[in-house]
Amino acid sequence: TLLLCGLAHAAPSSTLDAVLERGVLRVGFDAGYQPFEMTNKQGQYIGFDVDLAKMVAKEMGVKVEFVNTAWDGIIPALLTDKFDVIMGGMTVTPQRNLRVNFADPYIVVGQTIVLRKDKAGEIKSFSDLNDPKYKIAVKLGTTGEQAVKRMIPKATLLQFETQDDAKLEVINGKVDAFVYDLPYNAIFASQNTGAVVHLDKPFTFEPLAWAIRKGDQDTLNWLNNYLRQIKGDGSYDRLYKKWFES
Ligand code: ARG
């Protein structure tokens, strides 16, 4: 009876149960990553991930709360329960997967290069940048940083806390290139055609997925089934068109 008693009052065993009990889904991301999560002029979060998170919460019958978190600390923040799930365009990597569980990928992207415009003639692909004379800006803790370290190891790497700071370096010609996810770079380059060019062929393969704490099959099962549903019933496509094709 002692055991039964304990079970009846036990803390929720899954994140899903905790969310339902709380009535709030807490979503971690790092805003500024267009078109997935941005802050508009009114200070509200908007973007592909934001809409997806709202849909998830609505389907669970709970409110949604966004917890903006620096990217290089986002896994520790998940692990210490600052929020329930990372919905922030996180690339599934084997190293991250040692620390968190990922739902099925919701989109696949890759790293691309935004170049200082005057370098467009001499640099045609990532391997042309593999020389200490070239400076490459990346955002700290991203797969962009990893890709440069692994695939362009001789280049001079400059890490920035925010993507905005890294991006400004290329616009101002202080670095030769910026390496980041394709969707971000496509928007970045299209808004700065006078200063940069986009080498838009991805040189890495990167499935992006929602991340939760390990060992939580109930939450993983819910998320994966929900994802399959919205991918099949047209609601995912509607959102995709809204954020990637307009
Ligand atoms: N996909 C890249 C990564 O996993 C960049 C994601 C950045 N996301 C963000 N919300 N700032 O490292």
Side-chain angles (χ1 to χ4, degrees):
T1 52
L2 196 61
L3 178 68
L4 282 175
C5 206
L7 279 177
H9 297 279
S13 56
S14 68
T15 290
L16 187 58
D17 287 343
V19 166
L20 297 179
E21 206 161 280
R22 194 192 303 122
V24 179
L25 173 71
R26 301 166 308 166
V27 173
F29 60 39
D30 182 3
Y33 171 65
Q34 59 199 14
F36 294 82
E37 47 257 9
M38 300 87 78
T39 312
N40 70 11
K41 291 191 182 76
Q42 290 77 46
Q44 295 150 335
Y45 295 123
I46 56 164
F48 187 59
D49 285 336
V50 174
D51 281 350
L52 280 173
K54 286 179 179 167
M55 281 167 61
V56 166
K58 192 173 174 213
E59 202 61 50
M60 288 178 176
V62 300
K63 294 196 179 102
V64 66
E65 187 182 295
F66 295 105
V67 185
N68 197 20
T69 306
W71 193 250
D72 62 328
I74 203 157
I75 287 181
L78 172 71
L79 299 182
T80 52
D81 199 30
K82 301 292 186 293
F83 42 78
D84 304 301
V85 58
I86 298 172
M87 293 186 168
M90 181 169 272
T91 303
V92 178
T93 72
Q95 292 71 32
R96 288 171 176 164
N97 211 172
L98 296 171
R99 306 167 72 199
V100 300
N101 279 176
F102 287 104
D104 295 337
Y106 64 102
I107 190 169
V108 175
V109 305
Q111 296 302 302
T112 62
I113 295 162
V114 174
L115 269 189
R116 242 175 81 166
K117 201 164 196 178
D118 57 338
K119 301 284 165 168
E122 81 193 69
I123 293 156
K124 296 293 179 201
S125 91
F126 75 93
S127 49
D128 295 334
L129 284 167
N130 198 24
D131 186 303
K133 75 178 181 205
Y134 292 122
K135 291 191 192 131
I136 307 181
V138 297
K139 177 172 158 71
L140 203 63
T142 60
T143 45
E145 177 185 354
Q146 287 172 23
V148 175
K149 284 181 174 164
R150 282 188 191 186
M151 301 174 73
I152 323 177
K154 291 186 191 148
T156 304
L157 179 67
L158 293 143
Q159 295 141 303
F160 295 86
E161 185 70 48
T162 71
Q163 46 251 316
D164 280 350
D165 288 342
K167 171 175 108 172
L168 273 179
E169 296 291 297
V170 206
I171 296 175
N172 297 332
K174 297 222 177 75
V175 302
D176 302 294
F178 171 65
V179 170
Y180 208 28
D181 299 23
L182 183 149
Y184 181 98
N185 279 348
I187 300 171
F188 167 27
S190 73
Q191 291 171 346
N192 294 274
T193 49
V196 301
V197 288
H198 189 197
L199 302 185
D200 60 1
K201 190 170 160 286
F203 65 96
T204 61
F205 171 77
E206 306 202 15
L208 309 184
W210 302 332
I212 58 170
R213 289 177 287 276
K214 290 207 300 190
D216 184 352
Q217 184 53 38
D218 287 353
T219 307
L220 206 55
N221 177 249
W222 195 97
L223 292 175
N224 281 337
N225 285 329
Y226 182 67
L227 196 55
R228 186 177 50 227
Q229 180 61 36
I230 62 172
K231 282 202 170 179
D233 71 11
S235 37
Y236 177 94
D237 289 345
R238 269 196 300 283
L239 272 196
Y240 186 91
K241 284 203 182 79
K242 173 178 173 189
W243 293 107
F244 293 93
E245 288 169 10
S246 56

